Amino acid sequence: MRKGIIAGNWKMNLTPDESVSLVEEVWERIANLDRVEVVVCPPFISIPRVRELLDSRKMRIHLGAQNMHWEESGAYTGEISPVMLKFYGVTHVIIGHSERRQYFGETDQAVNRKVLSALFHDLTPIMCVGESLKERESGHTKDVVVTQVKRGLFEVPGNLARRVIIAYEPVWAIGTGKAASGGDAQDVAHLIREVLTELYNEEISEEVRIQYGGSVSPDNISDFMSMPDIDGALVGGASIKSESFAELVRLA
Ligand code: PGA
């Protein structure tokens, strides 16, 4: 059985003080729940303070990052390495979010390097894939997603691939309030499992967790969680308010 996983992507929001307050408020509301894994992905600069809080109060919340470089160290001004993330007990890292692809020119090849590096450093990559509105309207959703999954997992051996989390996030649904329907998201999640079976085998395909992301809210989370191939959600806007994030975890 795959365990459900709700991850909050805070993007470029919240100072370290605000990050700590949000985690405290969320924890108050979810401390008695343990059926799903909860991950928060604050901005890098908040990670040390959030780590301290999670440890001091023994909170069952995992700490994630929103991006990383694939190298361990070197002349890469402005970047953060997997070794640095590990130092603060980061366990998950979002890779290839559409905002990184769109605004920072991240290619499938860069995504692949980061996925390999994260796995090599024992971090769990949350690899994002998804089509733009134009690609959807021209009927290319499936090709785009299949290509992104295959390129992102290029040369990732099966024993490591089973640890990858794939987030299907249609670009047109992110931050727009227009989520995909549960059925459409399920179709793509199912397709991703077919690709995984083709690349690896059915056992690995069944083990990989797939999230949906894009305008997930307490109003629609149950639609997604009830789908057989969807195991959780990657949440932006609704994850930076304690009531909605906690409610999402409770409903999931
Ligand atoms: P959203 O963002 O929930 O605000 O649509 C999701 C994401 O970007 O991961």
Side-chain angles (χ1 to χ4, degrees):
M1 262 296 277
R2 301 183 296 263
K3 190 166 185 180
I5 177 162
I6 302 293
N9 172 12
W10 297 0
K11 311 192 179 183
M12 197 173 71
N13 294 295
L14 309 182
T15 63
D17 277 348
E18 291 166 342
S19 299
V20 164
S21 302
L22 177 59
V23 173
E24 278 176 331
E25 287 165 27
V26 168
W27 180 246
E28 267 169 38
R29 294 177 153 89
I30 66 163
N32 59 339
L33 307 173
D34 62 1
R35 295 267 297 276
V36 293
E37 233 168 88
V38 178
V39 186
V40 292
C41 305
F44 289 132
I45 202 167
S46 290
I47 285 176
R49 292 274 306 280
V50 171
R51 172 81 275 151
E52 220 174 271
L53 172 71
L54 297 177
D55 287 351
S56 67
R57 306 261 304 272
K58 298 198 166 43
M59 297 175 177
R60 287 184 317 281
I61 293 179
H62 299 275
L63 187 52
Q66 299 172 18
N67 179 33
M68 62 168 226
H69 197 276
W70 56 82
E71 293 290 350
E72 292 185 357
S73 65
Y76 301 101
T77 303
E79 294 289 318
I80 295 286
S81 86
V83 177
M84 297 168 187
L85 297 179
K86 294 281 289 184
F87 181 86
Y88 283 108
V90 167
T91 51
H92 295 67
V93 56
I94 298 171
I95 289 175
H97 188 282
S98 65
E99 287 152 17
R100 302 251 10 128
R101 294 177 189 260
Q102 201 178 334
Y103 307 133
F104 304 99
E106 216 164 281
T107 61
D108 289 329
Q109 194 200 18
V111 170
N112 176 242
R113 285 184 176 176
K114 292 179 181 197
V115 166
L116 280 164
S117 171
L119 291 165
F120 179 75
H121 288 93
D122 217 15
L123 289 160
T124 299
I126 300 178
M127 183 179 88
C128 301
V129 298
E131 82 288 2
S132 66
L133 185 61
K134 207 167 132 209
E135 289 161 342
R136 180 169 199 93
E137 284 175 345
S138 58
H140 289 103
T141 298
K142 292 189 170 177
D143 316 335
V144 169
V145 171
V146 168
T147 304
Q148 287 178 345
V149 170
K150 287 188 173 168
R151 291 189 180 159
L153 294 177
F154 181 65
E155 290 189 343
V156 175
N159 63 324
L160 296 179
R162 57 175 93 233
R163 292 195 0 240
V164 176
I165 294 170
I166 298 179
Y168 167 56
E169 297 206 307
V171 180
W172 49 270
I174 295 177
T176 59
K178 284 188 228 138
S181 69
D184 282 353
Q186 162 60 26
D187 287 348
V188 176
H190 188 73
L191 174 71
I192 292 172
R193 286 205 199 283
E194 285 175 351
V195 175
L196 292 169
T197 304
E198 183 192 321
L199 292 176
Y200 304 102
N201 57 46
E202 209 172 311
E203 187 210 323
I204 291 174
S205 165
E206 284 301 314
E207 210 173 306
V208 168
R209 290 184 293 174
I210 299 178
Q211 295 176 311
Y212 166 78
S215 296
V216 171
S217 74
D219 296 333
N220 59 27
I221 183 75
S222 305
D223 293 346
F224 298 113
M225 293 308 286
S226 66
M227 295 295 157
D229 288 306
I230 298 177
D231 309 301
L234 180 56
V235 187
S239 75
I240 54 175
K241 290 185 212 85
S242 60
E243 306 82 33
S244 49
F245 192 52
E247 185 62 5
L248 279 173
V249 173
R250 198 183 63 77
L251 290 164

